[in-house]
């Protein structure tokens, strides 16, 4: 009787161990690196197909993503957003640290194929502290438009990279960065 139980146990452990080895070889984690930065979540390779963490990738690529539960459909939209920074009538991207500047942000948006409810522009200092430049609700939907902020007076107190970010808020979702421009303070 003990021999039969032992044989059954050995057989079960063999099948289980083989299954785990097969499962591990059939599905493996992969590192995902976008523009030199590794994502926190790993992708998965399973039966020759790659599965990636879609939300994290859309954030890294500055794309908008929507999920339709009824149709089980994911839509990804990467609108073209080109930002220009103007001080008076001059485009700029470099400033002297310790000085205050008055400037505006101009954005040209095209290929927007998703409804948005609002947009905003912010500036983040080298430590990451973000300040709102301007936000605006969107009442009519267009696939292309221009947006200009009011003039902002901003002190570039520290040296380093300041990030001007253009956000969109898809209908029923949270704010998503869709473009970023650097101002270098030296």
């Amino acid at each position: 009787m003990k021999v039969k139980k032992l044989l059954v146990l050995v057989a079960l452990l063999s099948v289980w161990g083989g299954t785990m080895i097969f499962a591990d070889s059939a599905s493996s984690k992969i590192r995902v690196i976008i523009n030199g930065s590794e994502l926190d979540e790993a992708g998965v390779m399973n039966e020759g197909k790659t599965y990636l963490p879609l939300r994290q990738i859309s954030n890294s690529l500055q794309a908008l993503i929507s999920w339709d539960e009824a149709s089980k459909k994911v839509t990804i939209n990467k609108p073209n957003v080109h930002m220009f920074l103007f001080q008076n009538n001059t485009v700029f991207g470099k400033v002297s640290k310790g000085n205050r500047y008055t400037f505006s942000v101009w954005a040209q948006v095209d290929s927007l194929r998703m409804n948005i409810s609002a947009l905003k522009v912010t500036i983040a200092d080298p430590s990451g502290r973000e300040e709102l430049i301007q936000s605006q609700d969107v009442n009519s939907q267009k696939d292309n438009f221009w947006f200009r902020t009011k003039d902002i007076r901003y002190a570039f107190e520290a040296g380093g990279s300041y990030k001007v970010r253009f956000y969109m808020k898809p209908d029923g979702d949270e704010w998503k960065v869709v473009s970023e421009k650097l101002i270098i303070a030296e």
Side-chain angles (χ1 to χ4, degrees):
M1 189 69 156
K2 287 184 181 182
V3 173
K4 284 185 182 179
K5 285 184 181 178
L6 183 61
L7 286 175
V8 169
L9 182 60
V10 168
L12 285 174
L13 287 175
S14 296
V15 169
W16 180 73
T19 303
M20 294 309 289
I21 290 170
F22 175 75
D24 188 45
S25 66
S27 174
S28 59
K29 289 187 176 185
I30 57 173
R31 294 172 50 211
V32 181
I33 300 170
I34 297 178
N35 293 331
S37 297
E38 186 167 347
L39 297 182
D40 296 334
E41 260 182 74
V44 176
M45 178 76 78
N46 189 9
E47 297 180 9
K49 294 182 181 175
T50 306
Y51 300 91
L52 300 173
L54 197 53
R55 286 223 185 260
Q56 232 184 350
I57 286 176
S58 71
N59 290 341
S60 295
L61 295 176
Q62 298 177 340
L64 303 173
I65 185 171
S66 71
W67 168 250
D68 183 357
E69 179 66 35
S71 65
K72 303 288 188 223
K73 178 176 78 173
V74 172
T75 303
I76 301 170
N77 182 226
K78 173 65 175 125
N80 293 323
V81 180
H82 303 283
M83 287 194 294
F84 308 92
L85 309 172
F86 281 96
Q87 182 183 24
N88 297 324
N89 291 327
T90 306
V91 177
F92 76 100
K94 192 179 276 190
V95 296
S96 298
K97 71 177 179 178
N99 291 328
R100 294 181 80 80
Y101 291 85
T102 300
F103 67 96
S104 61
V105 179
W106 293 60
Q108 177 189 12
V109 178
D110 62 65
S111 302
L112 177 61
R113 294 180 179 90
M114 186 176 288
N115 288 339
I116 61 171
S117 59
L119 52 87
K120 71 178 177 180
V121 179
T122 65
I123 186 167
D125 66 17
S127 70
R129 188 176 59 241
E130 197 166 28
E131 181 180 321
L132 179 66
I133 293 176
Q134 187 173 334
S135 71
Q136 180 175 314
D137 289 338
V138 174
N139 298 324
S140 65
Q141 299 297 314
K142 297 179 182 175
D143 68 339
N144 64 78
F145 59 90
W146 281 86
F147 177 76
R148 179 189 187 272
T149 67
K150 62 184 184 226
D151 286 345
I152 179 174
R153 185 148 172 80
Y154 189 82
F156 294 88
E157 296 169 353
S161 297
Y162 290 76
K163 296 177 181 177
V164 177
R165 295 181 178 130
F166 192 94
Y167 289 82
M168 289 183 177
K169 188 174 187 180
D171 285 350
D173 205 348
E174 299 176 11
W175 290 105
K176 306 289 182 188
V177 176
V178 293
S179 186
E180 190 173 271
K181 186 68 77 181
L182 293 181
I183 300 173
I184 308 299
E186 297 179 329

